[in-house]
């Protein structure tokens, strides 16, 4: 087997420094299942930007009048351009405190129905801290769609968005091409994400459509959510022989932890495709029962509670 990915050894940048633009929560909250598996941080009340109305509506609202989902420092983690996903960019959100949730928590994500944003991304500049974004040259200024958000000990609090390829977005070439990437060496950026509705009007986060809580999601969706969790990957790896016997996933763990975890789950359930759990016949009922057993075991495991310990420190 290839060398394990770095997160299995708990490495990565230190995000304990106080954020610049967002208030720190001093009380320690015990996260519930949905909060930990969705984002990795305890649930918290959203922090509104000072000087902006908390109840802004879409009727005639301007971007500057609506609280952004996120406004602050960032770092370029990665970018991509594929036929299936189009142009994407993944960034680390630097101004999120150690006790704050991912600002994008709860918003719909994915290629088909992800939340859309008016997006400004540019090189970090002191003027950006003074809210003079419009005076700066941007790397990307247009619309984007939420692909996913997450939190790992190697990348920190992240968000991945799909860039608009139409007149309100990129024009042929990927705007981040040639820029340094990575959790430590990536280009320092300043970003603004303002949610918009179907009429492309700015709306506050609380007015944007939300995803269903984890316990209300289908077993297939739960399996995909769990597989983004690093400690779930650790959990599967430590019990691999018991779960799947001599069978082994075709994907190497180091090459794709999430894909590896999904294949291990598929082998454990004994199905060719996870979507079979959606069927109402015996081919779907039995895999669903096995999934519930596996999910329950993980939520009572040392890996899950180790994650809670690291969240509370």
């Amino acid at each position: 087997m290839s060398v394990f990915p770095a997160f299995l050894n708990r490495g990565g940048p230190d995000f304990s420094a106080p954020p610049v633009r967002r208030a720190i929560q001093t009380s320690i909250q015990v996260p519930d299942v949905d909060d930990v598996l969705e984002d990795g941080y305890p649930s918290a009340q959203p922090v509104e930007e000072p000087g902006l109305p908390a109840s802004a509506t879409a009727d005639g609202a301007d971007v500057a009048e609506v609280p952004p989902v996120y406004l602050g420092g960032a770092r370029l983690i990665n970018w991509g351009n594929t036929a299936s996903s189009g142009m994407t960019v993944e960034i680390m959100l630097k101004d999120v405190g150690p006790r704050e949730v991912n600002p994008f928590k709860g918003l719909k994500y994915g290629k088909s129905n992800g939340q859309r944003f008016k997006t400004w991304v540019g090189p970090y500049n002191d003027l950006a801290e003074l809210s003079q974004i419009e005076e700066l040259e941007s790397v990307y200024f247009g619309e984007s769609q939420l692909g996913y958000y997450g939190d790992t000990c190697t990348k920190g609090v992240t968000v991945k968005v799909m860039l608009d390829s139409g007149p309100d977005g990129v024009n042929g070439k990927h705007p981040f091409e040639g820029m340094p990437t990575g959790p430590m060496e990536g280009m320092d950026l300043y970003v603004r994400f303002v949610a918009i509705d179907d009429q492309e009007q700015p709306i506050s986060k609380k007015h944007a459509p939300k995803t269903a809580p984890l316990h209300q999601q289908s077993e297939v969706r739960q399996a995909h959510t769990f597989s983004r969790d690093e400690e779930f990957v650790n959990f599967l790896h430590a019990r691999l022989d018991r779960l799947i016997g001599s069978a082994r996933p075709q994907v190497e763990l180091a090459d794709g932890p999430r894909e590896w975890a999904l294949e291990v789950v598929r082998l454990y359930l004994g199905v060719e495709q996870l979507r079979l759990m959606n069927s109402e016949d015996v081919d779907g009922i039995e895999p669903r029962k096995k999934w519930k057993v596996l999910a329950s075991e993980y939520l009572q495991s040392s890996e899950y509670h180790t994650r809670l310990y690291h969240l509370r420190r």
Side-chain angles (χ1 to χ4, degrees):
M1 183 175 290
S2 302
V3 178
F4 294 161
F7 69 71
L8 290 177
N9 296 320
R10 288 204 169 277
D14 180 13
F15 297 95
S16 59
V20 177
R21 297 178 59 85
R22 304 179 71 87
I24 301 176
Q25 293 183 358
T26 56
S27 60
I28 298 177
Q29 304 177 24
V30 178
D32 60 22
V33 173
D34 290 342
D35 293 326
V36 170
L37 294 179
E38 289 287 342
D39 298 297
Y41 277 116
S43 181
Q45 296 299 317
V47 179
E48 302 289 355
E49 292 293 330
L52 295 175
S55 58
T57 63
D59 298 332
D62 185 79
V63 169
E65 299 175 351
V66 177
V69 175
Y70 180 78
L71 172 68
R75 180 166 293 159
L76 180 60
I77 296 293
N78 203 355
W79 60 270
N81 188 5
T82 65
S84 59
S85 300
M87 294 189 184
T88 61
V89 61
E90 182 181 12
I91 62 174
M92 173 201 302
L93 308 179
K94 297 173 64 177
D95 291 345
V96 178
R99 296 297 176 186
E100 291 183 276
V101 300
N102 190 309
F104 294 84
K105 173 180 169 60
L107 295 178
K108 290 187 175 181
Y109 58 89
K111 186 175 180 180
S112 59
N113 61 351
Q115 175 63 48
R116 295 189 62 81
F117 305 96
K118 290 285 187 181
T119 305
W120 188 99
V121 182
Y124 182 83
N125 190 296
D126 290 339
L127 290 178
E129 291 283 356
L130 301 176
S131 299
Q132 299 182 34
I133 286 181
E134 309 300 341
E135 301 178 15
L136 303 176
E137 182 178 356
S138 64
V139 177
Y140 178 77
F141 182 38
E143 293 186 10
S144 66
Q145 184 172 331
L146 182 58
Y148 69 80
Y149 54 87
D151 171 25
T152 69
C153 58
T154 55
K155 295 181 180 179
V157 181
T158 63
V159 63
K160 182 176 182 179
V161 296
M162 295 168 278
L163 307 180
D164 198 323
S165 59
D168 293 328
V170 297
N171 185 18
K173 182 180 179 181
H174 198 295
F176 295 90
E177 184 175 343
M179 296 182 180
T181 60
M184 300 298 293
E185 63 276 13
M187 182 174 180
D188 286 328
L189 304 169
Y190 201 82
V191 302
R192 180 181 66 191
F193 290 94
V194 177
I196 57 176
D197 60 15
D198 292 339
Q199 286 71 47
E200 300 185 359
Q201 295 298 313
I203 55 175
S204 61
K205 179 182 177 180
K206 67 180 182 180
H207 293 130
K210 303 299 190 297
T211 58
L214 183 67
H215 67 276
Q216 295 180 8
Q217 297 176 12
S218 69
E219 288 79 8
V220 175
R221 186 66 176 271
Q222 288 178 12
H224 281 271
T225 299
F226 274 59
S227 296
R228 295 199 308 270
D229 177 10
E230 295 174 1
E231 296 301 345
F232 183 66
V233 176
N234 291 342
F235 166 83
L236 294 178
H237 181 261
R239 298 159 179 78
L240 195 61
D241 291 339
R242 177 169 64 82
L243 293 175
I244 62 176
S246 60
R248 288 295 179 266
Q250 296 180 358
V251 179
E252 291 288 347
L253 175 57
D255 296 336
R258 178 176 177 272
E259 291 74 16
W260 180 89
L262 287 172
E263 190 167 355
V264 170
V265 170
R266 182 182 62 78
L267 291 171
Y268 167 76
L269 299 179
V271 297
E272 294 185 0
Q273 300 291 337
L274 292 179
R275 64 172 178 266
L276 289 176
M277 286 194 289
N278 288 332
S279 64
E280 293 302 327
D281 54 22
V282 67
D283 292 336
I285 294 175
E286 291 304 316
R288 285 203 300 271
K289 289 181 179 178
K290 295 189 69 175
W291 167 254
K292 292 181 185 299
V293 171
L294 182 65
S296 177
E297 183 179 350
Y298 170 59
L299 295 178
Q300 300 176 58
S301 68
S302 59
E303 286 84 359
Y304 178 77
H305 290 283
T306 294
R307 181 171 192 172
L308 295 185
Y309 168 76
H310 281 274
L311 289 175
R312 295 185 184 124
R313 282 196 305 175

